[in-house]
Amino acid sequence: MAQQHRQPFENPMFREIHKNTWLKKISPSNPKKKREKLWVVFCVHDDTDAYLETYSDNKVAVFHKPEWFVSLNSVQHISPTICAHEQEYEFVLTLSSEVVRLAAPTWEQMLDWVEGLKSKLSELRILSPRENVYTKLPEKQTASLLPTRDPNSPLPPPPAGPTEILPGVERSNSEITANRPSESITYQRRRSESQSSAMSRRSNNINEPQSAGASSNRVFNFDSFNCAIEPTTSTSSNNVHYEHLFQPGPSNRNNDTRQLVRTEASVTNRLLERSASCSPRILQPAPQPYKTLREQQVLMLEKEIKHPTGVKVQLRKKDCISSIGFVDAFDAVWICGWKQKEHPMLYNALHIGDRLINIDGINVKSAADAHRILQSHYCGLYVNIIVRRLPHGRVFVIHRETEGQSLGIIQENNTAVIESIQPNSLAARHGLTSKTKSCDGTSFTNWVLTEINGRPLNLFFKKNQIRDRLNSVGRDISVLVQPLDLIKQLKKQMKSLKNYKDYILQ
């Protein structure tokens, strides 16, 4: 069960708030109980633990001492309501141990909460992504099925026609005469010849001394056996479904042994070849090395950066109008920030330093064009935006050997500007340098840290934010760097925006 605390729980290293608003909490045991209005906060601690916290007042939420909280790491699914009840739109969070019921005042606010929770919990791998499983369509019946035979009716007679002779099985003379008369005459002639030859050999054996004759009467004569089965093997040689049996002949034991070994070796080779061709382990690909969540995030971002045609992002129109900071620099339109508190979902779609290409198929040449297109009638409820993901940025994932190990990054006056990289340090071994080409390609400039562990940094320097992020708990850390001249232009143009401080990310 979720624990209700009056005392504050242990504070994390950093706490990221994704949504907060006034909601009503419904008691699962007594739904008719008076519903109290609470300030509900959905936040993530240390990028791993998701929590839902409630406060009696929104001003008290600043101290991070919730009256009630529940961990969402065991959530199974989130369901919105279909029909409103007394102008309240309820949505339910089903956990492994209990059910949390909340009610929003409007339909849009309920859907915003449901989509926000699902998106972030899916990103944290707590909720599995929604996938459709398709199966093969049933084939169309071209002909009607025959009726099923009555089980009480007698069986149909056997089909007329000759039956095949199996190797090692001899039929009686009556069956051969009835089925195949011509073959019966040939078979009986060969059998009489083989019996006469066998009788001649037996008479010769009788003329031998008694000692040899006594022993020969007790031992099976393989010569007569070969003669007896010779017609059968000759008539069944055309049957390819059966292999020839190993037959001992009158040769000496050494030859028989060699033949047996040769036969066993060929059978063994066939079995090995068959097992090798049928073994699933041969067809399985080589196992891939295990990648941490941080490595997977960096790998996905690298794919987006290297994509030549850009990345397509679908956003709600109301999340784009007067909420994204578009600025002009280096003959292009760039994203320098967004209103994080009012539109936290933009964090999952945009990065500082993304270059805007077009909006709903219309090429964008300036920041004014971007605002005009978004406010025009061309855009519906959702807007398709194509951006070139961080064209001048590079992302690195650095593995510490021990906790608290220095990365070797020397900052310029504790700002985000990288002054130098210590030689043979962790950052240097992972490929991070202190200099890079400028955006115009005419000179070299310093790198600037814009994201640490996937979280954007304040472009206008906020005390010890960068130092605390670099010294965060964990051995894996990811950093995103961009050229200094680009960041300077973004900051300069950002100050020209109305209420530009609203677009600064923390």
Side-chain angles (χ1 to χ4, degrees):
M1 296 292 292
Q3 298 178 1
Q4 187 168 356
H5 294 268
R6 295 292 179 182
Q7 297 179 356
F9 53 90
E10 184 179 358
N11 291 325
M13 290 293 296
F14 55 87
R15 173 171 171 256
E16 186 176 5
I17 298 177
H18 290 272
K19 294 197 71 65
N20 50 9
T21 188
W22 290 101
L23 298 175
K24 289 186 178 181
K25 187 173 181 295
I26 304 173
S27 174
S29 58
N30 187 9
K32 296 183 179 180
K33 184 180 178 181
K34 184 179 179 181
R35 304 173 181 182
E36 52 182 343
K37 196 174 182 180
L38 299 172
W39 182 258
V40 182
V41 178
F42 168 51
C43 61
V44 179
H45 296 177
D46 298 330
D47 282 341
T48 55
D49 301 323
Y51 285 94
L52 205 64
E53 305 169 353
T54 60
Y55 301 87
S56 59
D57 190 2
N58 57 345
K59 298 179 181 179
V60 185
V62 180
F63 301 101
H64 195 208
K65 297 179 180 179
E67 297 181 354
W68 177 90
F69 69 91
V70 64
S71 174
L72 301 182
N73 287 352
S74 62
V75 67
Q76 296 176 352
H77 55 266
I78 304 172
S79 305
T81 188
I82 299 177
C83 301
H85 177 68
E86 296 181 358
Q87 299 301 320
E88 290 183 354
Y89 298 86
E90 179 184 347
F91 60 97
V92 180
L93 289 83
T94 304
L95 309 178
S96 60
S97 57
E98 65 169 318
V99 176
V100 179
R101 300 174 62 183
L102 300 171
T106 62
W107 173 268
E108 290 79 9
Q109 196 170 3
M110 177 197 67
L111 292 183
D112 195 19
W113 266 89
V114 171
E115 293 298 328
L117 288 168
K118 285 184 177 180
S119 177
K120 188 59 184 178
L121 294 177
S122 299
E123 180 184 346
L124 295 175
R125 304 296 178 89
I126 297 175
L127 278 178
S128 58
R130 293 173 293 181
E131 296 179 352
N132 294 330
V133 180
Y134 296 96
T135 58
K136 184 180 179 181
L137 293 175
E139 296 181 358
K140 185 178 180 180
Q141 297 290 342
T142 57
S144 59
L145 298 178
L146 296 176
T148 307
R149 186 184 67 85
D150 185 5
N152 298 323
S153 62
L155 293 175
T163 57
E164 295 184 356
I165 303 174
L166 298 179
V169 178
E170 296 183 1
R171 295 184 297 179
S172 61
N173 294 334
S174 60
E175 293 178 351
I176 297 174
T177 306
N179 294 335
R180 299 176 68 181
S182 60
E183 186 180 355
S184 174
I185 299 172
T186 306
Y187 179 77
Q188 289 178 359
R189 184 182 297 113
R190 292 180 180 176
R191 185 173 183 181
S192 61
E193 293 175 357
S194 62
Q195 289 178 353
S196 61
S197 60
M199 291 296 293
S200 61
R201 292 192 185 95
R202 187 176 302 174
S203 61
N204 294 333
N205 292 335
I206 295 174
N207 298 329
E208 293 179 357
Q210 289 295 329
S211 59
S215 60
S216 62
N217 292 333
R218 293 191 300 269
V219 178
F220 184 76
N221 192 343
F222 287 101
D223 294 338
S224 60
F225 175 74
N226 289 334
C227 297
I229 67 172
E230 184 179 357
T232 305
T233 55
S234 62
T235 56
S236 62
S237 60
N238 295 328
N239 192 348
V240 297
H241 299 284
Y242 297 91
E243 296 179 356
H244 294 288
L245 298 175
F246 173 70
Q247 301 174 3
S251 59
N252 55 21
R253 186 174 303 222
N254 293 332
N255 294 333
D256 295 342
T257 305
R258 293 195 200 99
Q259 186 177 1
L260 177 61
V261 172
R262 195 178 301 112
T263 305
E264 291 178 350
S266 62
V267 172
T268 305
N269 292 335
R270 286 198 300 271
L271 292 176
L272 290 176
E273 291 174 0
R274 186 178 301 173
S275 62
S277 61
C278 300
S279 176
R281 291 177 292 180
I282 303 291
L283 303 178
Q284 291 178 354
Q288 298 294 332
Y290 173 76
K291 292 185 181 298
T292 61
L293 177 60
R294 192 78 63 200
E295 290 175 332
Q296 295 175 6
Q297 293 173 347
V298 170
L299 184 61
M300 181 60 66
L301 184 57
E302 285 180 341
K303 290 182 179 179
E304 295 180 358
I305 294 174
K306 294 178 181 178
H307 203 282
T309 58
V311 178
K312 182 179 179 181
V313 179
Q314 189 178 55
L315 301 173
R316 296 183 304 181
K317 183 177 180 179
K318 67 177 184 179
D319 289 334
C320 300
I321 297 178
S322 302
S323 58
I324 303 177
F326 298 113
V327 295
D328 298 322
F330 297 104
D331 298 328
V333 183
W334 305 84
I335 296 175
C336 64
W338 55 85
K339 295 182 179 180
Q340 187 176 10
K341 294 182 180 179
E342 292 85 352
H343 306 277
M345 293 299 296
L346 296 176
Y347 165 81
N348 300 321
L350 302 177
H351 294 263
I352 296 176
D354 286 346
R355 179 179 175 180
L356 183 62
I357 304 298
N358 68 52
I359 300 175
D360 273 353
I362 304 175
N363 293 333
V364 179
K365 298 181 179 180
S366 64
D369 288 346
H371 292 292
R372 184 173 61 255
I373 295 171
L374 288 173
Q375 294 177 354
S376 65
H377 64 279
Y378 296 107
C379 301
L381 295 177
Y382 289 89
V383 181
N384 293 323
I385 298 177
I386 296 180
V387 298
R388 183 74 190 279
R389 182 74 78 205
L390 303 169
H392 299 286
R394 289 195 63 187
V395 61
F396 300 88
V397 57
I398 303 175
H399 306 277
R400 288 190 177 101
E401 298 174 357
T402 57
E403 291 285 347
Q405 184 179 5
S406 175
L407 301 178
I409 299 176
I410 300 178
Q411 304 166 234
E412 184 179 314
N413 298 327
N414 288 331
T415 61
V417 181
I418 298 178
E419 182 178 355
S420 62
I421 301 294
Q422 294 179 354
N424 201 26
S425 61
L426 281 178
R429 290 199 296 267
H430 284 81
L432 180 59
T433 59
S434 58
K435 299 287 185 180
T436 182
K437 282 186 178 181
S438 59
C439 291
D440 54 11
T442 58
S443 60
F444 287 89
T445 184
N446 293 78
W447 284 115
V448 179
L449 294 166
T450 57
E451 287 185 11
I452 297 178
N453 286 338
R455 300 178 62 201
L457 298 173
N458 190 331
L459 296 182
F460 294 90
F461 178 64
K462 182 182 178 182
K463 296 182 180 179
N464 297 324
Q465 179 192 31
I466 301 171
R467 185 195 63 184
D468 295 341
R469 295 272 186 91
L470 290 175
N471 296 329
S472 60
V473 178
R475 295 191 178 184
D476 291 348
I477 183 171
S478 63
V479 294
L480 174 63
V481 292
Q482 300 188 62
L484 177 59
D485 58 339
L486 175 62
I487 301 303
K488 282 184 176 181
Q489 285 295 323
L490 295 184
K491 292 169 63 177
K492 180 180 178 181
Q493 297 296 327
M494 188 176 182
K495 290 183 179 180
S496 63
L497 299 177
K498 184 180 179 180
N499 299 325
Y500 78 93
K501 290 185 178 180
D502 295 338
Y503 298 94
I504 298 176
L505 304 180
Q506 305 295 332

